[in-house]
Amino acid sequence: MTAPTSGRFITLEGGEGAGKSTQIARLKGKLEQGGHTVVATREPGGAPGAEMVRKLLVEGPAERWDGTTEALLHFAARRDHLRSTVWPALKRGAWVISDRFADSTVAYQGYGYGVDRAMLRKLYSIAVGDFRPDLTLVLDLPVEIGLGRAAARRGSETRYEGLPTDFHGRVRAGFLETAAADPGRCVVIDGTQDIEAVAAAIAAAVHERLGG
Ligand code: TMP
């Protein structure tokens, strides 16, 4: 089940409105300038089947699913994304940048909804196997700033943005605890800085960790 890889798999994580999409576009451009083939993708989604599951997850009322059902849906979408998009791209030698990956399930469904984290690790092993990101960048910023940015950007809320501020506070803590527990894989970036400063911090982390 583990993907044979010659490319690199980079994930960007963070709460709502952390600025991931902007930074992924910047990082993609920078890596392409350096001669890499880059695939930018996202979760939930990133493949036709996974995008269908995404619609179930981000649309509708906040109370539509319980945390365990959501975790199962996210891992189903994730497996399809890996098999259809990520693993083939890595096999071709591309660098893959994903807007969110499994740390989001730990943060949102685990810390946010209180789903048992041992169960999430089992689901990871079933759906993903031994495969891990080479580098995870966590864009961290206070919840109020992120939710404000997300609302201004979309003009409408997704299911998760509609959840209370304390939910998003737990999500933020989840990302930070995950990063602290796995410093070999994760780098926390201060997302309150301006776009240029965040882009520079990301480029420095990628260079230092992966030599890109
Ligand atoms: P996005 O707004 O970054 O596109 O992500 C869609 C929503 O899905 C976002 O609110 C976070 C949520 N999410 C989870 O709850 N668990 C997950 O595993 C993933 C990948 C996303």
Side-chain angles (χ1 to χ4, degrees):
M1 186 183 298
T2 306
T5 63
S6 54
R8 293 282 181 277
F9 184 44
I10 301 171
T11 59
L12 261 81
E13 297 280 9
E16 308 301 318
K20 292 181 281 88
S21 324
T22 309
Q23 293 300 332
I24 285 171
R26 300 290 286 257
L27 178 59
K28 181 174 189 281
K30 191 147 185 97
L31 289 170
E32 284 171 344
Q33 275 171 19
H36 296 292
T37 301
V38 181
V39 173
T41 186
R42 69 170 182 181
E43 289 203 352
E51 288 288 337
M52 293 170 79
V53 181
R54 178 187 174 93
K55 281 178 80 69
L56 298 173
L57 281 159
V58 302
E59 292 177 1
E63 65 284 0
R64 185 175 196 184
W65 313 111
D66 77 345
T68 300
T69 311
E70 278 190 12
L72 291 164
L73 288 168
H74 278 293
F75 272 111
R78 182 159 301 132
R79 182 163 173 79
D80 183 55
H81 179 221
L82 288 168
R83 293 187 70 244
S84 303
T85 302
V86 177
W87 288 342
L90 291 173
K91 211 170 168 183
R92 291 195 304 271
W95 285 43
V96 179
I97 311 172
S98 185
D99 184 339
R100 300 192 181 282
F101 190 61
D103 296 321
S104 281
T105 314
V106 172
Y108 282 80
Q109 283 67 49
Y111 284 79
Y113 284 110
V115 173
D116 177 37
R117 297 207 285 282
M119 188 190 76
L120 296 180
R121 285 193 290 276
K122 272 189 214 150
L123 290 178
Y124 187 104
S125 155
I126 292 165
V128 184
D130 296 331
F131 177 74
R132 298 278 180 280
D134 295 294
L135 175 64
T136 295
L137 302 156
V138 176
L139 295 193
D140 179 59
L141 82 175
V143 167
E144 292 76 10
I145 298 176
L147 287 176
R149 282 191 196 168
R153 181 188 63 215
R154 287 196 173 94
S156 67
E157 292 186 330
T158 66
R159 282 183 60 238
Y160 292 100
E161 286 164 45
L163 291 166
T165 305
D166 64 338
F167 175 91
H168 292 285
R170 292 197 297 280
V171 168
R172 183 186 187 195
F175 281 124
L176 292 176
E177 282 181 33
T178 300
D182 199 352
R185 173 174 66 86
C186 303
V187 176
V188 178
I189 307 278
D190 176 2
T192 63
Q193 307 172 92
D194 64 42
I195 289 173
E196 297 301 327
V198 174
I202 287 176
V206 170
H207 183 71
E208 187 195 315
R209 299 293 179 103
L210 304 180

